[in-house]
Amino acid sequence: LGVSRGLPCAQGPLSPPSSPPTVTSEQIEHLHRRFKQLSRDQLTIRKENFDSIPDLEFNPIRGKIVHAFFDKRNLRQESDGLADEINFEDFLTIMSYFRPIEMNMDEEQLDRFRKEKLKFLFHMYDSDHDGKITLQEYRNVVEELLSGNPHLEKESVRSIADGAMMEAASICVGQMGPDQVYEGITFEDFLKMWQGIDIETKMHVRFLNMETIAHCY
Amino acid sequence: GERSSGSPINSSHSQSFAIVSFKWEHVKDPYVITLWILVASLAKIVFHLSHKVTRVVPESALLIVLGLLLGGIVWAADHIASFTLTPDLFFFYLLPPIVLDAGYFMPNRLFFGNLGSILLYAVIGTVWNAATTGLSLYGVYQTGIMGKLNTGLLEFLLFGSLIAAVDPVAVLAVFEEVHVNEVLFIIVFGESLLNDAVTVVLYNVFESFVTIGPENVTGIECVKGIVSFFVVSVGGTLVGIFFAFLLSLVSRFTKHVRIIEPGFVFIISYLSYLTAEMLSLSAILAITFCGICCQKYVKANISEQSSTTVRYTMKMMASGAETIIFMFLGISAVDPNIWTWNTAFILLTLVFISVYRVIGVVLQTWILNHYRMVQLEIIDQVVMSYGGLRGAVAFALVVLLDGHKVGEKNLFVSTTIIVVFFTVIFQGLTIKPLVQWLKVKKTEHREPKLNEKLHGRAFDHILSAIEDISGQIGHNYLRDKWSNFDRKFLSKVLMRRSAQKSRDQILNVFHELNLKDAISYVAEGERRGSLAFIRSPSTDNMVNVDFSTPRPSTVESSVSYLLREKAGPVCLDMQALEQRRKSIRDTEDTVAHHTLQQYLYKPRQEHKHLYSRHEIMHSEDEKQDKEIFHRTMRKRLESFKSTKLGINHSKKLNKIHKRDRGQKRRNSNVIPNGKIPSENPVQDFTLKEKDLEFSESEENNDYETFHLGKGVDFLANVTKQNFTDTPTGIDNPVFSTDDDQSVYMKFSPWLSSEDTVVPSQRARVSIPYSPNNFRRLTPFRLSNKSIDSFQLADGPEDRPRSFLPESTHM
């Protein structure tokens, strides 16, 4: 992989070429260590490897998150579908979706940055890869999201998803005619829904104090 | 005994017995206090008469000026400064409500998210301010500019420590009007709250040093001071957390004493303040953390009404206390006895506190920005420096000084007053233009969106998962662990069982949205001047006395006929909505009422004649909220689906019909629904009677309300029993197309049903058919169908068949 201690690959060959390099060598080193830990010193990670992370177990949308790591759309491969295994570069690509915002980004970069993050999210919701979040898909997500609350009845959960969907429809389409059909949230609609909410400051993880590594198993 | 006013004085001057006597001395103190409060409150009214003034000048500044004026008047009349802001008054009665309010409504997530920065500013920043100000003043004093003062280094440090702390009251008063972005606000405000421990310790340490004399200060004493800082701050926090736990626990069991429920919140948190004070710990920290920690559980536990009461009472007390503080600050300044002028000292103090504040903020921010995710930019730093307002805490502390030990107490007091006035009035006045000029990011108030909440929740999980996967312990990791712990243990202990279920932020937003829908729906109807549009002769718009029971149908025409003569004023009283409508069109009103009944579940009823100290009568159901959700939601979904799926085929209806039946049977306990055929004349009759009784009770009869419950129960029993062996049916093929299409288009779909009901002429005319009349809540398509049909409808096979509206009865 070419990433190991001391090898200076700081200037981010691993982050997508379009975006500025933000993952530093230190962080890459850390992530690589972590990668090896997860893959048990293999070159690739398979889905099962994620089972060894104990804290992930309680995450209600764990399946969707792990899935996202193997989603080829997120890995910037032209093809669609699911990868069986990912290598370290893929791993880093996924991680790079969670880079924090940079001070020196200009408007255009920010916009692209934002879109990338949203795309990741969108793919997570759009589980059948048809470019639309349908009601059923949305319901599934909401159901998983709220599965942490054992008291919430299924019916409530469903109504919430329905309500959210209607809200989305009203945002994106506005008044619908009686015979109009809203099939699902497209990515454009998705962007519309996020207008005004600065996702940049929300969807990021600090890859800094990497020394505090939580141990697997 | 007697009233001292009102009747002319016809008392004899005999010594034996005075019918009327004037007892000013007797009531003087409470009377004067009440008058002051009244004056302050009236002043607030006056201020807000002119928007121009309050937009430019912060209220706190106005109040100080008012206090100065009033103090001047009193002084001119009396020549004594009768009322001043005494430390006791301030610390025991005025400060706690403000801090409690701050803690109880603290945006916890924001607060803990920025806790690191807040702590740094609060601890290091305050120590820095105190030390530099004190030392610099001492240094300048050594040069001799200030002339001869009866003080030493320790006194200067003591003064520095009391003037160093940013004041929560002043900061809150000014920043609330400025609306800077929430991160900036929480940092400045959090700092002002948490620096109390530092202030208290520094103040106590230096005061005791002054007392024992500089020659006796040893290293050990200093170490003791540092230790005492940890004890005071951690101790205060722990006291707060303990009382928060206690309060949450108590609020779990107050179901039967609803009236005093809000009282517990105030009493127990005040106890935390007093306890911390008694143990000489940081009282502000105690009550702050009491509020912060208990808010989640208390809000979940207490009833909606109590929650409103708590909210309003707390805001009222806090805002009242704030008003009094600033006014009294003004009044206290009018007292020639405390004024000692020393230009150099006063000016230099002003300069030093401002300059060192700026330096401190810049240095600390520079350090922080290495660790912060969202950087604090230069503009933020300017606002933070400028927002370092000093206030009543400093004043109370300086007044508390012992004049015998601190030689220049009066100078300190004068300087403090000047500093407070300067920061509150001058900086308060200029901060708004400054913020505008610098284009500081401001908060925008947005309506809560369901999608936003959902995505927010998803974010939390994603981020913590990414942290898990990348193997690090960050904010998200900790938050995730905490919320797990909270859900598994704390909530189980501290929350009512019912609250555990319904308490979910997403659910809350959902609830709010639904309420808004319902309200706007009614408002829209009223705007049109008539509520006839929601009238429908179909079964579902009938009185739904209790939604948990199934209803027989097919009586509507007769019922509405009867109701026509019996309708009365409708009163709908919900928190945000108070509407009263009297109309000549009785029928419409009645129907409207029933619809409200249905959609808003149970409007509170009027209580006219009954008085009870211990109870406010309302028959509230815990499930109410949730049921409203489901009901409105299903309505919304229906129309949504209708737009989505378009047209269905009635031919298939029967099939589904049968399929559904089985399902419904199974679910009948949960979601009883379906129409009951008209072969039950007896029941129909009962129903009519009950309906009548119900509508009457609304009108004037408190008595009736009591009996309503029984009637409903009875009804429920009968219908339930009946229900189990009646086949349920779809009587409203709303979207069935073929032949009936035209009819449906002409009249609202919900008007047409398979059974015998024929819409009245009036209804035909007045009901708009379009489902998109309202933004969110499309008009009701009511019919009897369980939601199960939706599940079916969503199935992959034979999708088009069904959009089947479901039952309105749960």
Side-chain angles (χ1 to χ4, degrees), chain A residues 18-42:
Chain A
S18 60
S19 44
T22 44
V23 186
T24 65
S25 62
E26 243 179 284
Q27 294 165 14
I28 291 175
E29 263 174 53
H30 164 79
L31 285 177
H32 190 232
R33 274 204 300 279
R34 181 67 178 174
F35 182 84
K36 284 206 289 197
Q37 201 179 6
L38 289 177
S39 67
R40 293 166 205 261
D41 286 325
Q42 300 299 305

Side-chain angles (χ1 to χ4, degrees), chain B residues 389-415:
Chain B
L389 306 176
R390 315 301 205 268
V393 172
F395 177 76
L397 284 177
V398 81
V399 170
L400 210 55
L401 286 177
D402 187 346
H404 299 295
K405 292 183 215 154
V406 183
E408 295 293 341
K409 178 185 169 183
N410 278 350
L411 177 60
F412 289 169
V413 172
S414 316
T415 313

